[in-house]
Amino acid sequence: MYVVAGVSCYANSAITSLFSLPSFVDYLSSCPNNNMAVEPVTAELWRLLTSVGPSELTSLRRLIPGERWMAAEQQDAAEFCLSVITSLQNQADDG
């Protein structure tokens, strides 16, 4: 099997889908800046949302639990999306 290092199209698809949801963007926008230090997933999503030009997804992939997200192989976009949402929920519960 041929594997390209840094495969992240699944993450790109998942994040693009989340950013297309007005309620998701509203949620990110409503998070106070002073909570960004204790909510790294939220902070990284906000950085990706507000950045100009192509963004690197490596930082976000590192923040999501599960070593498989950093593997250089195909992953399921729906599973990654669920992992992002679960991470946000866990941060909210802990904060």
Side-chain angles (χ1 to χ4, degrees), residues 25-36 39 42-43 46 88:
V25 173
D26 289 345
Y27 167 76
L28 291 178
S29 299
S30 70
C31 292
N33 288 336
N34 59 353
N35 282 353
M36 293 299 185
E39 297 182 354
T42 303
W46 181 252
L88 289 171

Side-chain angles (χ1 to χ4, degrees), residues 1 6 18-20 27 38 44 49 51 55 60 62 64-67 71-72 74 76 81 84 88-89 91 93:
M1 180 172 131
L18 288 172
F19 287 171
S20 73
Y27 167 76
V38 295
E44 185 59 22
L49 180 66
S51 65
S55 294
L60 178 63
R62 281 190 183 120
I64 304 303
E67 291 181 20
Q74 290 183 357
D76 186 81
C81 190
V84 169
L88 289 171
Q89 180 64 47
Q91 282 182 167
D93 291 344

Side-chain angles (χ1 to χ4, degrees), residues 6 11 43 48 70 81 87 92:
L48 290 171
M70 290 306 296
C81 190
S87 294

Side-chain angles (χ1 to χ4, degrees), residues 3-84:
V3 177
V4 178
V7 174
S8 64
C9 56
Y10 67 91
N12 203 4
S13 296
I15 298 307
T16 299
S17 296
L18 288 172
F19 287 171
S20 73
L21 301 170
S23 58
F24 188 78
V25 173
D26 289 345
Y27 167 76
L28 291 178
S29 299
S30 70
C31 292
N33 288 336
N34 59 353
N35 282 353
M36 293 299 185
V38 295
E39 297 182 354
V41 175
T42 303
E44 185 59 22
L45 286 166
W46 181 252
R47 185 192 69 79
L48 290 171
L49 180 66
T50 58
S51 65
V52 177
S55 294
E56 177 62 45
L57 293 170
T58 302
S59 296
L60 178 63
R61 290 167 46 206
R62 281 190 183 120
L63 291 170
I64 304 303
E67 291 181 20
R68 70 180 186 187
W69 303 124
M70 290 306 296
E73 57 189 37
Q74 290 183 357
Q75 301 290 342
D76 186 81
E79 287 181 29
F80 183 73
C81 190
L82 182 59
S83 293
V84 169

